[in-house]
Amino acid sequence: MVSRNVVDVTLVWISAWLDYVATPWFLYQTIIIISLFLAAKLGARRLEPLLENRARQIKGHPGLLRVIVALLRRTDWILFSVFLFVALILMRSLTWPSRAHFIAIALSLSLAWLFASVLSRIIRNRLVGRTLGWFAWTYAALVILGINDEAAAFLDSLALPLGVIRLSALTVLKAALLLIATVWLAVVVGKYLDERVQSSEELTPSIRVLVGKVAKIGLVVVAAAIALSSVGVDLTALTVFSGAVGVGLGFGLQKVVSNFVSGVIILLDKSIKPGDTISLEGTFGWIRELRARFVSVVTRDGREYLIPNEDFITQRVINWSFSDNLVRLDVNFGVSYDADPHKVSQLAIEAAMSVARVEADRRPVCWLTNFGESSLDFVLRFWIHDPQQGLTNVRGRVLLALWDIFKENGISIPYPHREIIMKQDGQALDQADLGRNQSAKIG
């Protein structure tokens, strides 16, 4: 019954419009509208570059500049609306108001399109902006043309009963619009709150990330619930369905849920935080960001590894800056037996102190560790306070400093020697075989 009434009303509306189109004044108004639109296009080509140069002088107001740029991209529609407004005033002052009815409709549609297009450009998310813009203009056009009630009744007649729920096209459309608007607003508010929390110096980095993520997710969930309840959707009726879906997702997304829970645990126990230097399964770098599913780790070669949160719970992690940024490094080296080990230790400490990154407050130490086969073996230990700047490079600088200072003081760094003895039968014996033969002779 509802659909038939809607069809009858639509036919009457179409018939009235056909009668109106057949009048001469409709043709006159159409010519005026087309002429004004072409004039607006030509005027915008000359006016837009001048206004753009003035807009580029605005500094320090990104929000205002974004709105102005969106308006500049629609200069032709602004001029078109102004021309239509002037034409409407002139037409109503010179002739009957009914003879300017189509111009009034064109002006209303032009203003609605201008508002919708500017709105779509102001919103940073292009998909959300265009969707809201088209829906806003469509609704405004239906209201301007006077068929919004008929269109709403027609969409409401397209319904699908789902138990106690009657799901109509109108309900779906309203729910989609409200859901997009509320979720977008929730995301904007969540980003604002996250920025304020991140700028707070009273909270630790882990707590900042945790509060920011909870605020974002909580606002989105609340926005979705408000949008669905506003259009009459009974959320309690979806309990069984959501429970079944939740069980299915739980089995299918075990790793995702595990990484999410692991991320929450990491934020709560503060085992790692942005800026920490970590080592995990051969990956050495500093933590750039903590996400809900993974941790972003940037290495010294510029690579960014996205490591799942679960690995930081189940694997052995080295946090070089967990409680203190000071890190001790070892450098092993050997010198000739002709060198004085006391002097070697003293020179090695001086060489380490000459490197800028070596911590001066904690004096390096050098110990003789072994009488090797061809050298006196030492270990040089020193401290640094910036492991995020790299470990291999500071070891390399210390080794170069050792080389320079040993060369200046005549201390040589030996390398293994191997003796080969040629026997009369042409066989060769290396040093190990010679040692066995000497042992046999002694025995």
Side-chain angles (χ1 to χ4, degrees), residues 125-285:
N125 192 313
R126 298 298 300 274
L127 178 60
V128 174
R130 290 181 178 180
T131 303
L132 288 178
W134 275 105
F135 275 122
W137 184 81
T138 303
Y139 178 75
L142 293 175
V143 173
I144 293 170
L145 297 176
I147 57 173
N148 56 315
D149 294 335
E150 291 78 5
F154 175 73
L155 293 175
D156 189 63
S157 65
L158 303 176
L160 178 65
L162 296 175
V164 296
I165 301 177
R166 181 179 179 273
L167 189 63
S168 66
L170 181 62
T171 303
V172 173
L173 184 60
K174 289 182 178 179
L177 286 174
L178 285 175
L179 192 61
I180 293 174
T182 54
V183 170
W184 173 77
L185 183 61
V187 170
V188 172
V189 175
K191 288 183 178 180
Y192 173 75
L193 293 177
D194 186 35
E195 292 176 357
R196 295 298 300 270
V197 171
Q198 296 300 328
S199 62
S200 176
E201 299 180 354
E202 299 178 358
L203 302 176
T204 61
S206 299
I207 297 299
R208 295 176 196 168
V209 175
L210 179 61
V211 172
K213 293 185 182 300
V214 170
K216 289 181 179 179
I217 297 174
L219 287 173
V220 170
V221 172
V222 171
I226 292 175
L228 293 177
S229 61
S230 299
V231 296
V233 177
D234 188 5
L235 298 180
T236 58
L238 301 176
T239 304
V240 178
F241 176 75
S242 61
V245 172
V247 172
L249 291 176
F251 284 105
L253 303 176
Q254 292 183 14
K255 285 294 183 181
V256 176
V257 176
S258 175
N259 287 320
F260 179 77
V261 175
S262 300
V264 175
I265 294 174
I266 289 173
L267 294 174
L268 290 177
D269 63 11
K270 306 176 184 178
S271 56
I272 59 175
K273 60 183 180 297
D276 281 352
T277 304
I278 59 100
S279 297
L280 175 64
E281 294 183 346
T283 302
F284 174 82

Side-chain angles (χ1 to χ4, degrees), residues 3-20:
S3 300
R4 187 169 182 178
N5 293 336
V6 172
V7 172
D8 293 339
V9 173
T10 304
L11 291 176
V12 171
W13 182 82
I14 293 175
S15 177
W17 263 97
L18 290 176
D19 293 339
Y20 179 70

Side-chain angles (χ1 to χ4, degrees), residues 112 254 349 412:
Q254 292 183 14
I349 293 174
S412 61

Side-chain angles (χ1 to χ4, degrees), residues 382-396:
F382 56 91
W383 294 80
I384 61 174
H385 64 276
D386 52 353
Q388 66 274 8
Q389 299 297 326
L391 306 179
T392 304
N393 52 7
V394 68
R395 285 196 181 101

